[in-house]
Amino acid sequence: MFDFGTFDLAELSGAGADCLVFDPADNPVVVDGKQASIRMCGSDSAGYKNRQRELARENADGKMDRDTLAIEMLVACTLSWKGILWGGKPLECTPENARKLYTKHEWLRESLAKFILGRSNFLASAPSG
């Protein structure tokens, strides 16, 4: 039985979920025998909604382009990652590095944007019933 009184999608979304990384040809990105992943919070999380409001204020003049807005939302939603290499070395998960990664790789941006909007991605730890 689904209990609306105890179900909290914002909390589940805020805890994040791991998005497995695939290259543009849809092959798994594997590092040291494990598939790379990026832990993202979802669109129902407080982090997502707060950043969305901040960006609306920052872009009141409409000068930020669509790509910049999308990248900034993804940076705000990035919680951690595993198996992300840059120049053959592990790339530390920081906002600056996330911005660099997402700016260079539009295909990854598209994949992550779709993931954070997919509510079912954040339901793995939801109570069943």
Side-chain angles (χ1 to χ4, degrees), residues 13-14 38-43 45-55 58 68-81 93-96 98-99 102 112 116:
S13 184
I38 302 176
R39 187 159 190 85
M40 305 293 289
C41 67
S43 61
S45 68
Y48 180 96
K49 291 178 184 285
N50 290 340
R51 187 61 178 136
Q52 193 175 44
R53 283 190 290 274
E54 290 170 1
L55 284 171
E58 291 172 21
T68 300
L69 292 168
I71 290 165
E72 289 306 311
M73 284 304 302
L74 291 174
V75 169
C77 290
T78 302
L79 302 176
S80 63
W81 60 46
C93 184
T94 65
E96 296 78 21
R99 193 171 290 109
Y102 304 150
L112 293 172
I116 64 175

PDB file of all heavy atoms in Angstrom, residues 13-14 38-43 45-55 58 68-81 93-96 98-99 102 112 116:
ATOM      1  N   SER A  13      15.395  11.977  -3.652  1.00  0.00           N
ATOM      2  CA  SER A  13      16.085  12.651  -4.746  1.00  0.00           C
ATOM      3  C   SER A  13      17.328  13.379  -4.244  1.00  0.00           C
ATOM      4  O   SER A  13      18.364  13.408  -4.913  1.00  0.00           O
ATOM      5  CB  SER A  13      15.114  13.631  -5.406  1.00  0.00           C
ATOM      6  OG  SER A  13      15.675  14.253  -6.512  1.00  0.00           O
ATOM      7  N   GLY A  14      17.246  13.944  -3.050  1.00  0.00           N
ATOM      8  CA  GLY A  14      18.381  14.647  -2.470  1.00  0.00           C
ATOM      9  C   GLY A  14      19.522  13.733  -2.094  1.00  0.00           C
ATOM     10  O   GLY A  14      20.683  14.124  -2.133  1.00  0.00           O
ATOM     11  N   ILE A  38      28.407   8.580 -11.974  1.00  0.00           N
ATOM     12  CA  ILE A  38      28.314   9.925 -11.407  1.00  0.00           C
ATOM     13  C   ILE A  38      27.066   9.953 -10.534  1.00  0.00           C
ATOM     14  O   ILE A  38      25.974   9.654 -10.999  1.00  0.00           O
ATOM     15  CB  ILE A  38      28.255  11.002 -12.504  1.00  0.00           C
ATOM     16  CG1 ILE A  38      29.488  10.912 -13.406  1.00  0.00           C
ATOM     17  CG2 ILE A  38      28.125  12.391 -11.875  1.00  0.00           C
ATOM     18  CD1 ILE A  38      29.490  11.877 -14.574  1.00  0.00           C
ATOM     19  N   ARG A  39      27.256  10.264  -9.254  1.00  0.00           N
ATOM     20  CA  ARG A  39      26.127  10.326  -8.318  1.00  0.00           C
ATOM     21  C   ARG A  39      25.498  11.711  -8.428  1.00  0.00           C
ATOM     22  O   ARG A  39      26.156  12.730  -8.207  1.00  0.00           O
ATOM     23  CB  ARG A  39      26.571  10.045  -6.894  1.00  0.00           C
ATOM     24  CG  ARG A  39      25.394   9.935  -5.938  1.00  0.00           C
ATOM     25  CD  ARG A  39      25.794   9.168  -4.675  1.00  0.00           C
ATOM     26  NE  ARG A  39      24.657   8.846  -3.862  1.00  0.00           N
ATOM     27  CZ  ARG A  39      23.878   7.772  -4.016  1.00  0.00           C
ATOM     28  NH1 ARG A  39      24.156   6.907  -4.967  1.00  0.00           N
ATOM     29  NH2 ARG A  39      22.861   7.551  -3.223  1.00  0.00           N
ATOM     30  N   MET A  40      24.220  11.713  -8.775  1.00  0.00           N
ATOM     31  CA  MET A  40      23.487  12.950  -9.009  1.00  0.00           C
ATOM     32  C   MET A  40      22.280  13.034  -8.080  1.00  0.00           C
ATOM     33  O   MET A  40      21.658  12.010  -7.781  1.00  0.00           O
ATOM     34  CB  MET A  40      22.973  12.995 -10.460  1.00  0.00           C
ATOM     35  CG  MET A  40      24.025  12.823 -11.541  1.00  0.00           C
ATOM     36  SD  MET A  40      25.200  14.172 -11.642  1.00  0.00           S
ATOM     37  CE  MET A  40      24.196  15.487 -12.325  1.00  0.00           C
ATOM     38  N   CYS A  41      21.940  14.238  -7.651  1.00  0.00           N
ATOM     39  CA  CYS A  41      20.650  14.417  -6.988  1.00  0.00           C
ATOM     40  C   CYS A  41      19.626  14.684  -8.091  1.00  0.00           C
ATOM     41  O   CYS A  41      19.986  15.041  -9.211  1.00  0.00           O
ATOM     42  CB  CYS A  41      20.694  15.536  -5.954  1.00  0.00           C
ATOM     43  SG  CYS A  41      20.928  17.193  -6.581  1.00  0.00           S
ATOM     44  N   GLY A  42      18.378  14.467  -7.782  1.00  0.00           N
ATOM     45  CA  GLY A  42      17.339  14.589  -8.794  1.00  0.00           C
ATOM     46  C   GLY A  42      16.611  15.917  -8.787  1.00  0.00           C
ATOM     47  O   GLY A  42      16.819  16.768  -7.916  1.00  0.00           O
ATOM     48  N   SER A  43      15.723  16.064  -9.742  1.00  0.00           N
ATOM     49  CA  SER A  43      15.003  17.323  -9.926  1.00  0.00           C
ATOM     50  C   SER A  43      13.998  17.628  -8.820  1.00  0.00           C
ATOM     51  O   SER A  43      13.498  18.747  -8.737  1.00  0.00           O
ATOM     52  CB  SER A  43      14.300  17.327 -11.284  1.00  0.00           C
ATOM     53  OG  SER A  43      13.356  16.276 -11.353  1.00  0.00           O
ATOM     54  N   SER A  45      14.895  17.336  -5.638  1.00  0.00           N
ATOM     55  CA  SER A  45      15.710  17.638  -4.459  1.00  0.00           C
ATOM     56  C   SER A  45      15.729  19.135  -4.164  1.00  0.00           C
ATOM     57  O   SER A  45      15.537  19.977  -5.046  1.00  0.00           O
ATOM     58  CB  SER A  45      17.138  17.150  -4.668  1.00  0.00           C
ATOM     59  OG  SER A  45      17.774  17.921  -5.671  1.00  0.00           O
ATOM     60  N   ALA A  46      16.003  19.455  -2.913  1.00  0.00           N
ATOM     61  CA  ALA A  46      16.140  20.860  -2.516  1.00  0.00           C
ATOM     62  C   ALA A  46      17.310  21.507  -3.249  1.00  0.00           C
ATOM     63  O   ALA A  46      17.213  22.664  -3.674  1.00  0.00           O
ATOM     64  CB  ALA A  46      16.339  20.952  -1.011  1.00  0.00           C
ATOM     65  N   GLY A  47      18.416  20.764  -3.424  1.00  0.00           N
ATOM     66  CA  GLY A  47      19.571  21.311  -4.125  1.00  0.00           C
ATOM     67  C   GLY A  47      19.248  21.745  -5.545  1.00  0.00           C
ATOM     68  O   GLY A  47      19.656  22.818  -6.000  1.00  0.00           O
ATOM     69  N   TYR A  48      18.499  20.918  -6.246  1.00  0.00           N
ATOM     70  CA  TYR A  48      18.097  21.235  -7.624  1.00  0.00           C
ATOM     71  C   TYR A  48      17.209  22.477  -7.635  1.00  0.00           C
ATOM     72  O   TYR A  48      17.447  23.431  -8.370  1.00  0.00           O
ATOM     73  CB  TYR A  48      17.366  20.043  -8.231  1.00  0.00           C
ATOM     74  CG  TYR A  48      16.904  20.239  -9.645  1.00  0.00           C
ATOM     75  CD1 TYR A  48      17.662  19.780 -10.717  1.00  0.00           C
ATOM     76  CD2 TYR A  48      15.695  20.875  -9.931  1.00  0.00           C
ATOM     77  CE1 TYR A  48      17.228  19.954 -12.024  1.00  0.00           C
ATOM     78  CE2 TYR A  48      15.265  21.058 -11.231  1.00  0.00           C
ATOM     79  CZ  TYR A  48      16.028  20.590 -12.275  1.00  0.00           C
ATOM     80  OH  TYR A  48      15.602  20.768 -13.570  1.00  0.00           O
ATOM     81  N   LYS A  49      16.190  22.454  -6.802  1.00  0.00           N
ATOM     82  CA  LYS A  49      15.213  23.547  -6.800  1.00  0.00           C
ATOM     83  C   LYS A  49      15.848  24.871  -6.351  1.00  0.00           C
ATOM     84  O   LYS A  49      15.555  25.924  -6.930  1.00  0.00           O
ATOM     85  CB  LYS A  49      14.018  23.183  -5.927  1.00  0.00           C
ATOM     86  CG  LYS A  49      13.191  22.057  -6.533  1.00  0.00           C
ATOM     87  CD  LYS A  49      12.048  21.663  -5.634  1.00  0.00           C
ATOM     88  CE  LYS A  49      11.304  20.491  -6.185  1.00  0.00           C
ATOM     89  NZ  LYS A  49      10.454  20.782  -7.298  1.00  0.00           N
ATOM     90  N   ASN A  50      16.723  24.811  -5.363  1.00  0.00           N
ATOM     91  CA  ASN A  50      17.398  26.033  -4.908  1.00  0.00           C
ATOM     92  C   ASN A  50      18.273  26.621  -6.004  1.00  0.00           C
ATOM     93  O   ASN A  50      18.275  27.829  -6.229  1.00  0.00           O
ATOM     94  CB  ASN A  50      18.228  25.758  -3.654  1.00  0.00           C
ATOM     95  CG  ASN A  50      17.376  25.490  -2.441  1.00  0.00           C
ATOM     96  OD1 ASN A  50      16.195  25.844  -2.385  1.00  0.00           O
ATOM     97  ND2 ASN A  50      17.957  24.836  -1.447  1.00  0.00           N
ATOM     98  N   ARG A  51      19.038  25.759  -6.678  1.00  0.00           N
ATOM     99  CA  ARG A  51      19.925  26.256  -7.744  1.00  0.00           C
ATOM    100  C   ARG A  51      19.111  26.798  -8.909  1.00  0.00           C
ATOM    101  O   ARG A  51      19.488  27.809  -9.520  1.00  0.00           O
ATOM    102  CB  ARG A  51      20.876  25.153  -8.215  1.00  0.00           C
ATOM    103  CG  ARG A  51      21.918  25.651  -9.196  1.00  0.00           C
ATOM    104  CD  ARG A  51      22.807  26.728  -8.576  1.00  0.00           C
ATOM    105  NE  ARG A  51      23.834  27.162  -9.504  1.00  0.00           N
ATOM    106  CZ  ARG A  51      24.172  28.430  -9.705  1.00  0.00           C
ATOM    107  NH1 ARG A  51      23.613  29.383  -8.994  1.00  0.00           N
ATOM    108  NH2 ARG A  51      25.104  28.735 -10.572  1.00  0.00           N
ATOM    109  N   GLN A  52      17.987  26.170  -9.198  1.00  0.00           N
ATOM    110  CA  GLN A  52      17.122  26.641 -10.273  1.00  0.00           C
ATOM    111  C   GLN A  52      16.634  28.069  -9.971  1.00  0.00           C
ATOM    112  O   GLN A  52      16.650  28.934 -10.850  1.00  0.00           O
ATOM    113  CB  GLN A  52      15.941  25.680 -10.426  1.00  0.00           C
ATOM    114  CG  GLN A  52      15.132  25.846 -11.663  1.00  0.00           C
ATOM    115  CD  GLN A  52      14.075  24.775 -11.778  1.00  0.00           C
ATOM    116  OE1 GLN A  52      13.392  24.453 -10.818  1.00  0.00           O
ATOM    117  NE2 GLN A  52      13.945  24.206 -12.962  1.00  0.00           N
ATOM    118  N   ARG A  53      16.222  28.308  -8.724  1.00  0.00           N
ATOM    119  CA  ARG A  53      15.784  29.654  -8.328  1.00  0.00           C
ATOM    120  C   ARG A  53      16.942  30.655  -8.399  1.00  0.00           C
ATOM    121  O   ARG A  53      16.769  31.783  -8.871  1.00  0.00           O
ATOM    122  CB  ARG A  53      15.192  29.627  -6.918  1.00  0.00           C
ATOM    123  CG  ARG A  53      13.780  29.070  -6.851  1.00  0.00           C
ATOM    124  CD  ARG A  53      13.148  29.276  -5.485  1.00  0.00           C
ATOM    125  NE  ARG A  53      13.738  28.445  -4.446  1.00  0.00           N
ATOM    126  CZ  ARG A  53      13.380  27.194  -4.174  1.00  0.00           C
ATOM    127  NH1 ARG A  53      12.430  26.611  -4.870  1.00  0.00           N
ATOM    128  NH2 ARG A  53      13.958  26.533  -3.203  1.00  0.00           N
ATOM    129  N   GLU A  54      18.131  30.241  -7.916  1.00  0.00           N
ATOM    130  CA  GLU A  54      19.299  31.124  -7.967  1.00  0.00           C
ATOM    131  C   GLU A  54      19.631  31.516  -9.404  1.00  0.00           C
ATOM    132  O   GLU A  54      19.913  32.686  -9.687  1.00  0.00           O
ATOM    133  CB  GLU A  54      20.517  30.442  -7.345  1.00  0.00           C
ATOM    134  CG  GLU A  54      20.458  30.272  -5.855  1.00  0.00           C
ATOM    135  CD  GLU A  54      21.572  29.369  -5.326  1.00  0.00           C
ATOM    136  OE1 GLU A  54      22.405  28.888  -6.128  1.00  0.00           O
ATOM    137  OE2 GLU A  54      21.606  29.145  -4.109  1.00  0.00           O
ATOM    138  N   LEU A  55      19.608  30.531 -10.288  1.00  0.00           N
ATOM    139  CA  LEU A  55      19.940  30.816 -11.689  1.00  0.00           C
ATOM    140  C   LEU A  55      18.901  31.718 -12.334  1.00  0.00           C
ATOM    141  O   LEU A  55      19.250  32.564 -13.173  1.00  0.00           O
ATOM    142  CB  LEU A  55      20.091  29.518 -12.481  1.00  0.00           C
ATOM    143  CG  LEU A  55      21.393  28.761 -12.248  1.00  0.00           C
ATOM    144  CD1 LEU A  55      21.349  27.395 -12.908  1.00  0.00           C
ATOM    145  CD2 LEU A  55      22.591  29.563 -12.755  1.00  0.00           C
ATOM    146  N   GLU A  58      19.957  35.083 -11.171  1.00  0.00           N
ATOM    147  CA  GLU A  58      21.222  35.481 -11.805  1.00  0.00           C
ATOM    148  C   GLU A  58      21.050  35.794 -13.286  1.00  0.00           C
ATOM    149  O   GLU A  58      21.798  36.585 -13.848  1.00  0.00           O
ATOM    150  CB  GLU A  58      22.266  34.370 -11.640  1.00  0.00           C
ATOM    151  CG  GLU A  58      22.748  34.166 -10.222  1.00  0.00           C
ATOM    152  CD  GLU A  58      23.630  32.932 -10.078  1.00  0.00           C
ATOM    153  OE1 GLU A  58      24.193  32.462 -11.085  1.00  0.00           O
ATOM    154  OE2 GLU A  58      23.724  32.425  -8.938  1.00  0.00           O
ATOM    155  N   THR A  68      25.005  27.137 -20.802  1.00  0.00           N
ATOM    156  CA  THR A  68      25.549  27.568 -19.505  1.00  0.00           C
ATOM    157  C   THR A  68      24.578  27.235 -18.382  1.00  0.00           C
ATOM    158  O   THR A  68      24.982  26.717 -17.330  1.00  0.00           O
ATOM    159  CB  THR A  68      25.854  29.079 -19.522  1.00  0.00           C
ATOM    160  OG1 THR A  68      26.823  29.335 -20.547  1.00  0.00           O
ATOM    161  CG2 THR A  68      26.379  29.553 -18.179  1.00  0.00           C
ATOM    162  N   LEU A  69      23.308  27.504 -18.579  1.00  0.00           N
ATOM    163  CA  LEU A  69      22.301  27.196 -17.560  1.00  0.00           C
ATOM    164  C   LEU A  69      22.239  25.696 -17.291  1.00  0.00           C
ATOM    165  O   LEU A  69      22.182  25.270 -16.133  1.00  0.00           O
ATOM    166  CB  LEU A  69      20.934  27.720 -17.997  1.00  0.00           C
ATOM    167  CG  LEU A  69      20.798  29.242 -18.043  1.00  0.00           C
ATOM    168  CD1 LEU A  69      19.511  29.642 -18.752  1.00  0.00           C
ATOM    169  CD2 LEU A  69      20.871  29.835 -16.655  1.00  0.00           C
ATOM    170  N   ALA A  70      22.286  24.902 -18.351  1.00  0.00           N
ATOM    171  CA  ALA A  70      22.230  23.437 -18.199  1.00  0.00           C
ATOM    172  C   ALA A  70      23.452  22.934 -17.442  1.00  0.00           C
ATOM    173  O   ALA A  70      23.340  22.079 -16.541  1.00  0.00           O
ATOM    174  CB  ALA A  70      22.140  22.771 -19.571  1.00  0.00           C
ATOM    175  N   ILE A  71      24.620  23.458 -17.781  1.00  0.00           N
ATOM    176  CA  ILE A  71      25.855  23.043 -17.110  1.00  0.00           C
ATOM    177  C   ILE A  71      25.795  23.407 -15.630  1.00  0.00           C
ATOM    178  O   ILE A  71      26.138  22.589 -14.768  1.00  0.00           O
ATOM    179  CB  ILE A  71      27.083  23.666 -17.803  1.00  0.00           C
ATOM    180  CG1 ILE A  71      27.294  23.018 -19.173  1.00  0.00           C
ATOM    181  CG2 ILE A  71      28.337  23.534 -16.932  1.00  0.00           C
ATOM    182  CD1 ILE A  71      28.235  23.773 -20.091  1.00  0.00           C
ATOM    183  N   GLU A  72      25.345  24.599 -15.313  1.00  0.00           N
ATOM    184  CA  GLU A  72      25.274  25.023 -13.918  1.00  0.00           C
ATOM    185  C   GLU A  72      24.299  24.172 -13.114  1.00  0.00           C
ATOM    186  O   GLU A  72      24.548  23.873 -11.943  1.00  0.00           O
ATOM    187  CB  GLU A  72      24.927  26.511 -13.820  1.00  0.00           C
ATOM    188  CG  GLU A  72      26.051  27.418 -14.268  1.00  0.00           C
ATOM    189  CD  GLU A  72      27.362  27.143 -13.554  1.00  0.00           C
ATOM    190  OE1 GLU A  72      27.372  27.048 -12.308  1.00  0.00           O
ATOM    191  OE2 GLU A  72      28.398  27.024 -14.239  1.00  0.00           O
ATOM    192  N   MET A  73      23.205  23.753 -13.724  1.00  0.00           N
ATOM    193  CA  MET A  73      22.270  22.861 -13.026  1.00  0.00           C
ATOM    194  C   MET A  73      22.927  21.508 -12.766  1.00  0.00           C
ATOM    195  O   MET A  73      22.796  20.948 -11.678  1.00  0.00           O
ATOM    196  CB  MET A  73      20.984  22.672 -13.834  1.00  0.00           C
ATOM    197  CG  MET A  73      20.044  23.860 -13.785  1.00  0.00           C
ATOM    198  SD  MET A  73      19.552  24.373 -12.114  1.00  0.00           S
ATOM    199  CE  MET A  73      18.820  22.903 -11.455  1.00  0.00           C
ATOM    200  N   LEU A  74      23.642  20.981 -13.737  1.00  0.00           N
ATOM    201  CA  LEU A  74      24.310  19.690 -13.554  1.00  0.00           C
ATOM    202  C   LEU A  74      25.404  19.773 -12.502  1.00  0.00           C
ATOM    203  O   LEU A  74      25.561  18.850 -11.695  1.00  0.00           O
ATOM    204  CB  LEU A  74      24.879  19.186 -14.881  1.00  0.00           C
ATOM    205  CG  LEU A  74      23.850  18.766 -15.918  1.00  0.00           C
ATOM    206  CD1 LEU A  74      24.551  18.426 -17.225  1.00  0.00           C
ATOM    207  CD2 LEU A  74      23.012  17.607 -15.428  1.00  0.00           C
ATOM    208  N   VAL A  75      26.151  20.863 -12.496  1.00  0.00           N
ATOM    209  CA  VAL A  75      27.190  21.039 -11.481  1.00  0.00           C
ATOM    210  C   VAL A  75      26.552  21.011 -10.094  1.00  0.00           C
ATOM    211  O   VAL A  75      27.050  20.346  -9.179  1.00  0.00           O
ATOM    212  CB  VAL A  75      27.980  22.350 -11.716  1.00  0.00           C
ATOM    213  CG1 VAL A  75      28.863  22.684 -10.527  1.00  0.00           C
ATOM    214  CG2 VAL A  75      28.821  22.246 -12.987  1.00  0.00           C
ATOM    215  N   ALA A  76      25.440  21.699  -9.933  1.00  0.00           N
ATOM    216  CA  ALA A  76      24.757  21.748  -8.638  1.00  0.00           C
ATOM    217  C   ALA A  76      24.235  20.378  -8.211  1.00  0.00           C
ATOM    218  O   ALA A  76      24.151  20.088  -7.017  1.00  0.00           O
ATOM    219  CB  ALA A  76      23.602  22.749  -8.693  1.00  0.00           C
ATOM    220  N   CYS A  77      23.914  19.544  -9.171  1.00  0.00           N
ATOM    221  CA  CYS A  77      23.348  18.220  -8.872  1.00  0.00           C
ATOM    222  C   CYS A  77      24.406  17.133  -8.710  1.00  0.00           C
ATOM    223  O   CYS A  77      24.086  16.021  -8.301  1.00  0.00           O
ATOM    224  CB  CYS A  77      22.367  17.811  -9.968  1.00  0.00           C
ATOM    225  SG  CYS A  77      20.858  18.798  -9.959  1.00  0.00           S
ATOM    226  N   THR A  78      25.644  17.414  -9.041  1.00  0.00           N
ATOM    227  CA  THR A  78      26.712  16.423  -8.967  1.00  0.00           C
ATOM    228  C   THR A  78      27.170  16.270  -7.522  1.00  0.00           C
ATOM    229  O   THR A  78      27.680  17.204  -6.918  1.00  0.00           O
ATOM    230  CB  THR A  78      27.894  16.819  -9.864  1.00  0.00           C
ATOM    231  OG1 THR A  78      27.431  16.961 -11.213  1.00  0.00           O
ATOM    232  CG2 THR A  78      29.000  15.773  -9.807  1.00  0.00           C
ATOM    233  N   LEU A  79      26.986  15.064  -6.981  1.00  0.00           N
ATOM    234  CA  LEU A  79      27.351  14.790  -5.597  1.00  0.00           C
ATOM    235  C   LEU A  79      28.725  14.132  -5.482  1.00  0.00           C
ATOM    236  O   LEU A  79      29.474  14.422  -4.557  1.00  0.00           O
ATOM    237  CB  LEU A  79      26.288  13.901  -4.943  1.00  0.00           C
ATOM    238  CG  LEU A  79      24.860  14.464  -4.952  1.00  0.00           C
ATOM    239  CD1 LEU A  79      23.889  13.456  -4.379  1.00  0.00           C
ATOM    240  CD2 LEU A  79      24.801  15.789  -4.215  1.00  0.00           C
ATOM    241  N   SER A  80      29.043  13.234  -6.400  1.00  0.00           N
ATOM    242  CA  SER A  80      30.339  12.544  -6.395  1.00  0.00           C
ATOM    243  C   SER A  80      30.454  11.772  -7.704  1.00  0.00           C
ATOM    244  O   SER A  80      29.503  11.696  -8.485  1.00  0.00           O
ATOM    245  CB  SER A  80      30.452  11.584  -5.199  1.00  0.00           C
ATOM    246  OG  SER A  80      29.483  10.560  -5.293  1.00  0.00           O
ATOM    247  N   TRP A  81      31.642  11.189  -7.922  1.00  0.00           N
ATOM    248  CA  TRP A  81      31.799  10.294  -9.073  1.00  0.00           C
ATOM    249  C   TRP A  81      32.910   9.304  -8.824  1.00  0.00           C
ATOM    250  O   TRP A  81      33.743   9.482  -7.936  1.00  0.00           O
ATOM    251  CB  TRP A  81      31.999  11.055 -10.373  1.00  0.00           C
ATOM    252  CG  TRP A  81      33.181  11.987 -10.507  1.00  0.00           C
ATOM    253  CD1 TRP A  81      34.480  11.752 -10.164  1.00  0.00           C
ATOM    254  CD2 TRP A  81      33.158  13.302 -11.061  1.00  0.00           C
ATOM    255  NE1 TRP A  81      35.267  12.828 -10.467  1.00  0.00           N
ATOM    256  CE2 TRP A  81      34.489  13.796 -11.023  1.00  0.00           C
ATOM    257  CE3 TRP A  81      32.169  14.099 -11.611  1.00  0.00           C
ATOM    258  CZ2 TRP A  81      34.824  15.059 -11.508  1.00  0.00           C
ATOM    259  CZ3 TRP A  81      32.515  15.357 -12.083  1.00  0.00           C
ATOM    260  CH2 TRP A  81      33.816  15.825 -12.029  1.00  0.00           C
ATOM    261  N   CYS A  93      36.343  15.152  -7.922  1.00  0.00           N
ATOM    262  CA  CYS A  93      34.988  15.684  -8.086  1.00  0.00           C
ATOM    263  C   CYS A  93      34.876  17.007  -7.338  1.00  0.00           C
ATOM    264  O   CYS A  93      34.726  17.040  -6.112  1.00  0.00           O
ATOM    265  CB  CYS A  93      33.958  14.679  -7.577  1.00  0.00           C
ATOM    266  SG  CYS A  93      32.260  15.223  -7.871  1.00  0.00           S
ATOM    267  N   THR A  94      34.984  18.090  -8.095  1.00  0.00           N
ATOM    268  CA  THR A  94      34.806  19.442  -7.563  1.00  0.00           C
ATOM    269  C   THR A  94      33.864  20.175  -8.518  1.00  0.00           C
ATOM    270  O   THR A  94      33.718  19.769  -9.681  1.00  0.00           O
ATOM    271  CB  THR A  94      36.137  20.215  -7.506  1.00  0.00           C
ATOM    272  OG1 THR A  94      36.607  20.419  -8.859  1.00  0.00           O
ATOM    273  CG2 THR A  94      37.196  19.483  -6.692  1.00  0.00           C
ATOM    274  N   PRO A  95      33.236  21.248  -8.061  1.00  0.00           N
ATOM    275  CA  PRO A  95      32.395  22.010  -8.998  1.00  0.00           C
ATOM    276  C   PRO A  95      33.162  22.484 -10.232  1.00  0.00           C
ATOM    277  O   PRO A  95      32.635  22.429 -11.349  1.00  0.00           O
ATOM    278  CB  PRO A  95      31.903  23.192  -8.148  1.00  0.00           C
ATOM    279  CG  PRO A  95      31.913  22.659  -6.751  1.00  0.00           C
ATOM    280  CD  PRO A  95      33.122  21.747  -6.686  1.00  0.00           C
ATOM    281  N   GLU A  96      34.395  22.907 -10.044  1.00  0.00           N
ATOM    282  CA  GLU A  96      35.190  23.384 -11.184  1.00  0.00           C
ATOM    283  C   GLU A  96      35.446  22.258 -12.181  1.00  0.00           C
ATOM    284  O   GLU A  96      35.350  22.455 -13.398  1.00  0.00           O
ATOM    285  CB  GLU A  96      36.527  23.972 -10.707  1.00  0.00           C
ATOM    286  CG  GLU A  96      36.389  25.202  -9.856  1.00  0.00           C
ATOM    287  CD  GLU A  96      35.981  24.909  -8.401  1.00  0.00           C
ATOM    288  OE1 GLU A  96      36.167  23.773  -7.913  1.00  0.00           O
ATOM    289  OE2 GLU A  96      35.448  25.833  -7.754  1.00  0.00           O
ATOM    290  N   ALA A  98      33.682  19.462 -12.495  1.00  0.00           N
ATOM    291  CA  ALA A  98      32.400  19.064 -13.087  1.00  0.00           C
ATOM    292  C   ALA A  98      32.048  20.025 -14.216  1.00  0.00           C
ATOM    293  O   ALA A  98      31.644  19.600 -15.308  1.00  0.00           O
ATOM    294  CB  ALA A  98      31.305  19.044 -12.029  1.00  0.00           C
ATOM    295  N   ARG A  99      32.230  21.311 -13.993  1.00  0.00           N
ATOM    296  CA  ARG A  99      31.949  22.314 -15.023  1.00  0.00           C
ATOM    297  C   ARG A  99      32.826  22.073 -16.252  1.00  0.00           C
ATOM    298  O   ARG A  99      32.352  22.135 -17.393  1.00  0.00           O
ATOM    299  CB  ARG A  99      32.193  23.711 -14.429  1.00  0.00           C
ATOM    300  CG  ARG A  99      31.674  24.846 -15.251  1.00  0.00           C
ATOM    301  CD  ARG A  99      31.754  26.175 -14.493  1.00  0.00           C
ATOM    302  NE  ARG A  99      30.782  26.205 -13.388  1.00  0.00           N
ATOM    303  CZ  ARG A  99      31.104  26.140 -12.091  1.00  0.00           C
ATOM    304  NH1 ARG A  99      32.364  26.051 -11.707  1.00  0.00           N
ATOM    305  NH2 ARG A  99      30.164  26.168 -11.166  1.00  0.00           N
ATOM    306  N   TYR A 102      31.537  18.818 -18.046  1.00  0.00           N
ATOM    307  CA  TYR A 102      30.249  18.994 -18.720  1.00  0.00           C
ATOM    308  C   TYR A 102      30.322  20.006 -19.860  1.00  0.00           C
ATOM    309  O   TYR A 102      29.582  19.897 -20.831  1.00  0.00           O
ATOM    310  CB  TYR A 102      29.167  19.392 -17.717  1.00  0.00           C
ATOM    311  CG  TYR A 102      29.020  18.423 -16.562  1.00  0.00           C
ATOM    312  CD1 TYR A 102      28.591  18.857 -15.320  1.00  0.00           C
ATOM    313  CD2 TYR A 102      29.323  17.066 -16.699  1.00  0.00           C
ATOM    314  CE1 TYR A 102      28.449  17.979 -14.255  1.00  0.00           C
ATOM    315  CE2 TYR A 102      29.196  16.191 -15.641  1.00  0.00           C
ATOM    316  CZ  TYR A 102      28.760  16.645 -14.425  1.00  0.00           C
ATOM    317  OH  TYR A 102      28.628  15.767 -13.365  1.00  0.00           O
ATOM    318  N   LEU A 112      23.128  12.935 -18.359  1.00  0.00           N
ATOM    319  CA  LEU A 112      22.906  13.287 -16.959  1.00  0.00           C
ATOM    320  C   LEU A 112      21.620  14.083 -16.776  1.00  0.00           C
ATOM    321  O   LEU A 112      20.895  13.886 -15.798  1.00  0.00           O
ATOM    322  CB  LEU A 112      24.102  14.051 -16.401  1.00  0.00           C
ATOM    323  CG  LEU A 112      25.399  13.258 -16.285  1.00  0.00           C
ATOM    324  CD1 LEU A 112      26.552  14.175 -15.905  1.00  0.00           C
ATOM    325  CD2 LEU A 112      25.265  12.113 -15.295  1.00  0.00           C
ATOM    326  N   ILE A 116      18.614  12.959 -14.186  1.00  0.00           N
ATOM    327  CA  ILE A 116      18.117  13.682 -13.011  1.00  0.00           C
ATOM    328  C   ILE A 116      16.625  13.994 -13.115  1.00  0.00           C
ATOM    329  O   ILE A 116      15.970  14.205 -12.093  1.00  0.00           O
ATOM    330  CB  ILE A 116      18.922  14.963 -12.705  1.00  0.00           C
ATOM    331  CG1 ILE A 116      18.802  15.995 -13.803  1.00  0.00           C
ATOM    332  CG2 ILE A 116      20.368  14.630 -12.414  1.00  0.00           C
ATOM    333  CD1 ILE A 116      19.485  17.312 -13.495  1.00  0.00           C
TER     334      ILE A 116
END
